[in-house]
Amino acid sequence: MNREWEELQEILQKASMYRAALSLMSWDSDTIAPPKAAEWTARFVGTISQEYFTMMTSPRVRDLAAAIDPETLDHDGKALLRHVRRTVENLTSIPAEEYRAYQELLVRSRATWKHAKDTNDFASFAPVLQQVIDTRRRFAALRAKDGETPYNVLLNDYEEGFPAAVLDPFFEKLKACVVPLLQRRTEALHERIVTRTSPLEKQKAFCAWLAAYAGFDPERGALGETEHPFNCTMHNHDSRLALHYYEHDSNSAISSTMHESGHAIYEQQVDDRYTLTFLGGGASTAMHESQSRFFENHVGRSRAFWEPIYPTLQRMQPEAYGGVPFDEYMRELNVAVPSPVRIEADELTYSLHIIVRYELEKAFIDGGMKAEELPAAWNRKYQEYLGITPPTDTAGVLQDSHWGGGLIGYFPSYSIGSAIAAQVEAQLRRMMDFDAVLRAGELHKICGALREGIHRFGASKTADELLRDFTGKPFEPDDYLAYLERKFRV
Amino acid sequence: MNREWEELQEILQKASMYRAALSLMSWDSDTIAPPKAAEWTARFVGTISQEYFTMMTSPRVRDLAAAIDPETLDHDGKALLRHVRRTVENLTSIPAEEYRAYQELLVRSRATWKHAKDTNDFASFAPVLQQVIDTRRRFAALRAKDGETPYNVLLNDYEEGFPAAVLDPFFEKLKACVVPLLQRRTEALHERIVTRTSPLEKQKAFCAWLAAYAGFDPERGALGETEHPFNCTMHNHDSRLALHYYEHDSNSAISSTMHESGHAIYEQQVDDRYTLTFLGGGASTAMHESQSRFFENHVGRSRAFWEPIYPTLQRMQPEAYGGVPFDEYMRELNVAVPSPVRIEADELTYSLHIIVRYELEKAFIDGGMKAEELPAAWNRKYQEYLGITPPTDTAGVLQDSHWGGGLIGYFPSYSIGSAIAAQVEAQLRRMMDFDAVLRAGELHKICGALREGIHRFGASKTADELLRDFTGKPFEPDDYLAYLERKFRV
């Protein structure tokens, strides 16, 4: 191994430690830190972030990353170098002065968005959103290669290998599948969302039990409480779930427990050789999302999974489920009802929410659409795809924090992840009697197969490599479309 | 202001951010972090600590700290420079190579102590404890000035201005007061420790209420759970309590809530001019301990404090206190019963536990006593001062983690703090009708007086300066002795 590589490795090891420390601070901020501490705490978090940024953008790291010949490295080394080059490129492509100005713009933009959402006042948000959009487009253009469109640059930041040329046909197929399914179902079933009431302490006890049952290792993780559920990982021996319990909607915490457990199981099952390195996390955003969706939907809404444990749920939360027949509970878990808010959406309508956002992002980054045109365009698409018009902009175009925070091009990862989840389930069904395994409560067999085929590699393989090696084919949405057809056709 | 001072300030600001980040990581480790994560998490915590250490021991910081003339600085500047010189001196007095070896010895020593305590096997701990003692003595000798004894060097590390020449007469007076008080009380009252049983959730709810009632600001702090209660402060806007709730001893969490609230109120009331600087914490260990003892004992065991809120306690924890008359509860809170374990000791016997440790530390650092002689000496002193012999070494000489962790010379701070608490109470009684204020539930008047007289200054004044300015006299134990006499004479 050459000396330049060793030197780079040493810097990366230290940088990984900083990343882990920053993860922990962000966990703390979002779970237990007191509200009035925020502005002060931001100072020391800022100092540690700045240190990480300085480390990764130093001329020495740039020189080393550029100088090392990947051909002299083994497989893991190549993967690591690829990650580093990507990180360095992203962090250094923008002049420091402009980067700082953009960070300040984002602070203003986030606050303006929050206020606009609280007061249902899109007009006050439009000018600053337009600035964010223009800046993102300009920064993207700086990095565009060979006539790449700015939106493709942004898409590539979050998920490699999914430019508009891949996403357009994917989303067209998905739309062609889901829109009529939903329409027929709405007309035939008149489904409605049922909520159940259960004391918070009993919900907490059940969700802790459920996470462990699904395969989350509580001795290498923890559970906390927060506003919007998330998974936070320091390293594979400490991956945590932050959940939100609604007293009057106990199904909500059950779904998020399964979803966040999927993320955490992925992280916990990464091999120790990658602990606290740049290869220690998941392969990509969409691959991560595929694991959370797999546990949330393909496992956590299935009859076979709940059959053996529904009596436990009834015993642990008798107020909510004691008198509810199993069939009724299964129906509740699998309704498909159009509603305006993405994060409350069911499995079928979820992808329509994503498609709306994808089409609008493409329009305002590459197509010349203006921020001020967004509310009308948003509502038109909701009416067309979901058959509803959001009652307010708060429950419409203002609902997500992403755009105001500069996250443009991120939404498609959610749908790519959903499709990968179905592709993974199909492969597992070729490997084992999936339903029998679930009915026997042998989740370790499923977790074991995912560990061997996907999780243990961390980020040392790309999502594409993992999919080809595990399922025998590249990404393709047919399993997902078939799954939706099978499940939601009436 | 001169340029060297500005340069030093900049480095210190960054170092303070690292200290705050390290505090947060230590909070996390002791409250929520999963057990199996510890060895991995130690790596990134180690990286951040090392960064702090490197920053503070750099030749540049040493040069700056030495070069700056304190006479060119204002009061806060002088205080800051004094802290920095002390920190730099402590961190750099030992050759780096020996320091690393000592850190490794401590890892071994802590583990050996833990195992020895678990198995009641002092003999297995004695050799490594002897090494720790010898190393501490040797390091102390390197820093001794003008014929100072090694033990005085160690004492000065934890509390300035309290060498053996001050502590000897203090502890002699204390012993002469407490030993006969305890003996007469034991003979006359036949008191015993009563424990009460209460559901954990109700204990948590009451303790959260109690902390806020006492003056802790829950919007600038948080409550967590841990094995041994502690207070952890990131900065004055985020000071937290970690508590332990015993289902079958609900009085325990009440005492520790008051104790840790005292620490947190001190930290929360430091002026914003010191936030996230080296002057942002308490003035000294003993001064900090005085505030926790003051809230735990002088406020939290007093009749006047509980009179208005005992009905609340009875309502919130009916299982434990519903049928207990107020007088009986007050008796329980104020028993004095010799028992072998320091952290479970009552207010009267507590100082005897400290005196035993002080006398033994002096003997094994300065007096040639060997580690192997400790169990016999320990038991003799317990019999002499407390009238009991610990049933095992686990409940005797092995009970505390301090010595195995290298903390030698720290114990006296606890008793100095208890004496300062009484001196502070006496001053408050000169300033206000203390009991009437408590009976009226006007804790804000007490917190306000402490803020104005002590807390707001952070570490910009020494403990000695604070005591003189607030009480009009230097440290002296008469108020403490009078308080004990008044409270415990029968």
Side-chain angles (χ1 to χ4, degrees):
Chain A
M1 207 183 281
N2 57 55
R3 269 170 53 194
E4 283 170 336
W5 179 237
E6 274 173 40
E7 186 185 341
L8 182 61
Q9 294 263 55
E10 250 173 62
I11 300 170
L12 293 180
Q13 263 167 26
K14 199 163 152 186
S16 295
M17 303 295 166
Y18 274 75
R19 295 216 295 194
L22 286 165
S23 291
L24 195 146
M25 292 182 215
S26 109
W27 161 269
D28 187 84
S29 290
D30 289 340
T31 54
I32 190 170
K36 288 192 181 165
E39 72 172 290
W40 301 91
T41 301
R43 296 194 194 180
F44 71 80
V45 174
T47 300
I48 304 286
S49 313
Q50 185 59 44
E51 209 62 23
Y52 169 71
F53 184 85
T54 306
M55 217 180 291
M56 289 304 294
T57 55
S58 71
R60 186 67 190 150
V61 167
R62 267 193 277 187
D63 291 349
L64 287 169
I68 292 162
D69 175 7
E71 292 314 312
T72 62
L73 305 174
D74 64 5
H75 181 274
D76 282 355
K78 285 192 186 73
L80 187 54
L81 186 62
R82 194 162 45 80
H83 276 269
V84 173
R85 285 183 174 174
R86 207 170 135 87
T87 306
V88 169
E89 189 190 311
N90 284 349
L91 293 176
T92 58
S93 66
I94 297 141
E97 203 46 56
E98 292 195 47
Y99 187 77
R100 245 194 306 282
Y102 176 58
Q103 293 305 320
E104 281 164 27
L105 170 63
L106 287 186
V107 171
R108 198 153 44 86
S109 166
R110 283 197 194 94
T112 311
W113 164 77
K114 182 77 176 62
H115 187 259
K117 182 177 176 182
D118 288 347
T119 57
N120 190 39
D121 178 15
F122 183 83
S124 69
F125 179 48
V128 66
L129 175 58
Q130 188 63 57
Q131 281 183 274
V132 172
I133 290 171
D134 293 343
T135 311
R136 285 290 273 157
R137 189 195 299 110
R138 191 158 47 78
F139 286 176
L142 291 175
R143 292 185 286 134
K145 284 163 200 144
D146 313 324
E148 215 181 357
T149 68
Y151 190 48
N152 277 341
V153 174
L154 297 181
L155 286 171
N156 195 57
D157 279 350
Y158 301 112
E159 195 67 31
E160 287 179 285
F162 286 88
V166 174
L167 288 176
D168 280 344
F170 167 53
F171 282 130
E172 282 310 319
K173 268 190 180 175
L174 198 52
K175 211 156 55 176
C177 163
V178 174
V179 171
L181 272 182
L182 180 64
Q183 208 165 359
R184 292 175 56 172
R185 201 170 165 96
T186 307
E187 285 162 13
L189 296 184
H190 303 291
E191 290 180 311
R192 60 187 184 83
I193 295 162
V194 178
T195 55
R196 303 263 167 218
T197 296
S198 185
L200 298 176
E201 289 309 318
K202 292 188 183 177
Q203 293 195 37
K204 287 183 207 176
F206 178 74
C207 289
W209 177 87
L210 180 67
Y213 178 83
F216 170 74
D217 181 352
E219 293 195 317
R220 298 191 297 128
L223 270 68
E225 284 184 67
T226 191
E227 189 54 36
H228 297 292
F230 63 90
N231 159 249
C232 175
T233 300
M234 269 54 77
H235 46 72
N236 60 335
H237 296 279
D238 190 356
S239 184
R240 305 180 184 183
L241 317 180
L243 302 169
H244 189 98
Y245 305 92
Y246 296 93
E247 191 182 353
H248 299 296
D249 182 5
S250 49
N251 287 344
S252 165
I254 290 175
S255 296
S256 29
T257 298
M258 290 303 293
H259 182 95
E260 305 307 339
S261 291
H263 283 303
I265 290 166
Y266 190 175
E267 295 278 352
Q268 289 183 334
Q269 295 205 120
V270 171
D271 199 281
D272 272 358
R273 69 200 295 180
Y274 304 122
T275 310
L276 286 170
T277 74
F278 273 59
L279 302 181
S284 77
T285 310
M287 189 50 88
H288 230 303
E289 204 59 28
S290 78
Q291 299 307 291
S292 56
R293 302 260 156 199
F294 173 76
F295 277 90
E296 179 190 354
N297 295 329
H298 298 258
V299 173
R301 298 189 196 281
S302 80
R303 208 173 175 85
F305 175 74
W306 282 103
E307 254 177 37
I309 63 172
Y310 189 60
T312 306
L313 172 59
Q314 290 185 302
R315 197 181 61 245
M316 292 181 75
Q317 297 195 52
E319 292 86 346
Y321 304 101
V324 179
F326 183 54
D327 282 347
E328 197 172 318
Y329 177 65
M330 288 314 301
R331 260 197 307 278
E332 282 171 23
L333 279 194
N334 291 289
V335 293
V337 181
S339 68
V341 177
R342 177 183 62 86
I343 61 166
E344 293 163 11
D346 57 72
E347 198 178 348
L348 183 65
T349 56
Y350 191 87
S351 55
L352 299 177
H353 292 268
I354 299 302
I355 291 171
V356 170
R357 286 152 179 79
Y358 168 71
E359 293 177 353
L360 293 175
E361 286 183 344
K362 211 166 56 154
F364 66 64
I365 292 290
D366 287 350
M369 178 186 268
K370 294 285 155 209
E372 63 194 26
E373 301 171 58
L374 274 169
W378 180 283
N379 291 352
R380 266 198 314 276
K381 286 188 187 287
Y382 264 77
Q383 189 59 52
E384 186 182 345
Y385 304 155
L386 287 111
I388 56 168
T389 295
T392 59
D393 287 339
T394 297
V397 67
L398 285 169
Q399 67 183 266
D400 294 310
S401 62
H402 297 56
W403 293 341
L407 276 180
I408 298 168
Y410 187 94
F411 283 118
S413 310
Y414 294 124
S415 282
I416 303 166
S418 298
I420 294 176
Q423 195 171 334
V424 163
E425 188 204 312
Q427 175 59 24
L428 287 172
R429 285 188 182 278
R430 287 189 284 273
M431 295 166 71
M432 62 182 77
D433 184 341
F434 190 67
D435 293 325
V437 165
L438 286 176
R439 264 194 299 272
E442 297 174 326
L443 273 293
H444 64 93
K445 289 192 179 164
I446 292 167
C447 290
L450 294 173
R451 185 183 59 239
E452 288 311 301
I454 298 175
H455 299 177
R456 67 187 172 100
F457 299 105
S460 72
K461 289 187 179 186
T462 63
D464 180 56
E465 285 170 334
L466 287 169
L467 266 184
R468 286 174 195 267
D469 291 353
F470 184 61
T471 72
K473 52 186 183 183
F475 173 83
E476 49 94 326
D478 292 353
D479 290 323
Y480 183 39
L481 301 175
Y483 166 80
L484 292 175
E485 281 282 347
R486 209 164 51 236
K487 184 158 178 179
F488 291 101
R489 169 160 313 275
V490 287
Chain B
M1 210 185 278
N2 59 56
R3 271 170 52 195
E4 284 169 335
W5 178 237
E6 275 174 38
E7 185 185 341
L8 181 61
Q9 294 263 55
E10 251 173 61
I11 300 171
L12 292 180
Q13 262 166 26
K14 198 163 153 188
S16 295
M17 303 294 167
Y18 275 75
R19 295 216 293 193
L22 286 165
S23 290
L24 195 146
M25 294 181 213
S26 109
W27 161 270
D28 188 83
S29 290
D30 290 339
T31 54
I32 190 170
K36 288 190 181 165
E39 72 171 292
W40 301 91
T41 301
R43 295 193 195 181
F44 71 81
V45 174
T47 300
I48 305 285
S49 309
Q50 185 59 44
E51 209 62 23
Y52 169 70
F53 184 84
T54 306
M55 215 180 290
M56 289 304 293
T57 56
S58 71
R60 187 66 191 151
V61 167
R62 266 191 278 187
D63 290 350
L64 288 168
I68 292 161
D69 175 6
E71 292 314 312
T72 62
L73 306 174
D74 63 6
H75 181 274
D76 281 355
K78 285 192 185 75
L80 186 54
L81 185 62
R82 195 162 45 80
H83 276 268
V84 173
R85 285 184 174 175
R86 210 171 132 85
T87 306
V88 169
E89 188 190 310
N90 284 349
L91 292 176
T92 57
S93 66
I94 297 142
E97 203 45 58
E98 292 195 48
Y99 187 78
R100 246 194 305 282
Y102 175 58
Q103 294 304 320
E104 281 164 26
L105 171 63
L106 286 187
V107 170
R108 198 153 43 85
S109 165
R110 283 195 194 95
T112 311
W113 164 76
K114 182 77 176 61
H115 187 260
K117 182 178 177 182
D118 289 347
T119 56
N120 191 38
D121 178 15
F122 183 83
S124 69
F125 178 49
V128 66
L129 175 59
Q130 189 64 56
Q131 281 183 275
V132 172
I133 290 171
D134 293 343
T135 311
R136 286 290 272 156
R137 187 194 300 111
R138 195 159 44 80
F139 286 177
L142 290 175
R143 292 186 286 136
K145 283 163 197 144
D146 314 326
E148 218 183 354
T149 68
Y151 190 49
N152 276 341
V153 173
L154 297 180
L155 287 171
N156 194 58
D157 279 351
Y158 302 111
E159 194 67 30
E160 287 180 285
F162 286 87
V166 174
L167 288 175
D168 280 343
F170 167 52
F171 281 131
E172 282 309 318
K173 266 188 180 175
L174 197 53
K175 211 157 56 175
C177 162
V178 174
V179 172
L181 272 181
L182 180 65
Q183 207 164 1
R184 292 175 55 171
R185 201 170 165 96
T186 307
E187 285 163 11
L189 296 183
H190 304 290
E191 290 179 312
R192 64 189 182 82
I193 296 162
V194 178
T195 55
R196 304 262 166 217
T197 295
S198 186
L200 296 176
E201 290 308 318
K202 292 189 182 175
Q203 292 194 37
K204 287 182 207 175
F206 178 74
C207 289
W209 178 87
L210 180 67
Y213 179 82
F216 170 74
D217 181 352
E219 293 196 317
R220 298 191 296 129
L223 270 68
E225 283 184 68
T226 191
E227 189 54 37
H228 297 291
F230 63 90
N231 158 250
C232 176
T233 300
M234 270 53 79
H235 46 73
N236 61 334
H237 296 278
D238 190 356
S239 184
R240 305 180 184 184
L241 317 182
L243 300 169
H244 189 97
Y245 306 93
Y246 296 94
E247 193 182 353
H248 299 297
D249 182 7
S250 49
N251 287 345
S252 165
I254 291 175
S255 296
S256 29
T257 299
M258 290 302 293
H259 183 96
E260 305 308 339
S261 291
H263 282 303
I265 290 166
Y266 189 174
E267 294 279 352
Q268 290 183 332
Q269 297 206 118
V270 170
D271 200 282
D272 272 357
R273 70 199 294 179
Y274 304 122
T275 309
L276 286 169
T277 74
F278 273 59
L279 302 181
S284 78
T285 310
M287 188 52 87
H288 230 303
E289 205 58 29
S290 77
Q291 300 306 293
S292 56
R293 302 260 155 197
F294 172 76
F295 276 90
E296 179 190 355
N297 296 327
H298 298 258
V299 173
R301 298 189 196 281
S302 80
R303 208 174 174 84
F305 175 74
W306 281 103
E307 253 177 40
I309 63 172
Y310 188 59
T312 306
L313 173 59
Q314 290 185 303
R315 196 180 63 245
M316 293 182 76
Q317 298 195 51
E319 293 86 347
Y321 304 101
V324 180
F326 183 53
D327 282 347
E328 199 173 317
Y329 176 64
M330 288 314 302
R331 260 198 309 276
E332 283 170 23
L333 279 194
N334 290 289
V335 292
V337 181
S339 68
V341 177
R342 177 182 63 86
I343 60 167
E344 293 164 10
D346 57 70
E347 198 179 348
L348 182 64
T349 57
Y350 192 86
S351 54
L352 298 176
H353 291 268
I354 298 304
I355 292 171
V356 168
R357 287 152 177 81
Y358 169 71
E359 293 178 353
L360 292 175
E361 286 183 342
K362 211 164 59 152
F364 66 63
I365 292 291
D366 288 350
M369 178 188 267
K370 293 286 155 207
E372 62 193 30
E373 301 170 59
L374 274 168
W378 181 282
N379 291 352
R380 264 198 314 277
K381 285 187 188 288
Y382 264 78
Q383 189 58 52
E384 187 182 344
Y385 305 154
L386 287 111
I388 56 168
T389 296
T392 60
D393 287 339
T394 297
V397 67
L398 286 169
Q399 66 182 266
D400 294 310
S401 62
H402 297 56
W403 293 342
L407 276 181
I408 298 169
Y410 186 94
F411 283 118
S413 309
Y414 294 125
S415 282
I416 303 167
S418 299
I420 294 176
Q423 194 171 336
V424 163
E425 188 205 313
Q427 175 59 24
L428 287 171
R429 286 188 181 278
R430 285 189 285 272
M431 294 166 72
M432 62 181 76
D433 184 341
F434 189 67
D435 294 325
V437 165
L438 287 175
R439 264 194 299 271
E442 298 175 326
L443 273 293
H444 64 94
K445 288 191 179 165
I446 292 167
C447 290
L450 293 174
R451 183 182 61 241
E452 288 309 302
I454 299 175
H455 299 176
R456 68 187 171 100
F457 299 105
S460 71
K461 289 186 179 187
T462 63
D464 179 57
E465 285 170 336
L466 288 169
L467 267 184
R468 285 175 195 266
D469 291 353
F470 184 62
T471 72
K473 53 187 181 181
F475 173 83
E476 49 91 328
D478 292 354
D479 290 323
Y480 184 39
L481 301 175
Y483 166 80
L484 292 174
E485 281 281 345
R486 209 163 54 234
K487 184 159 179 180
F488 291 101
R489 172 159 311 276
V490 287

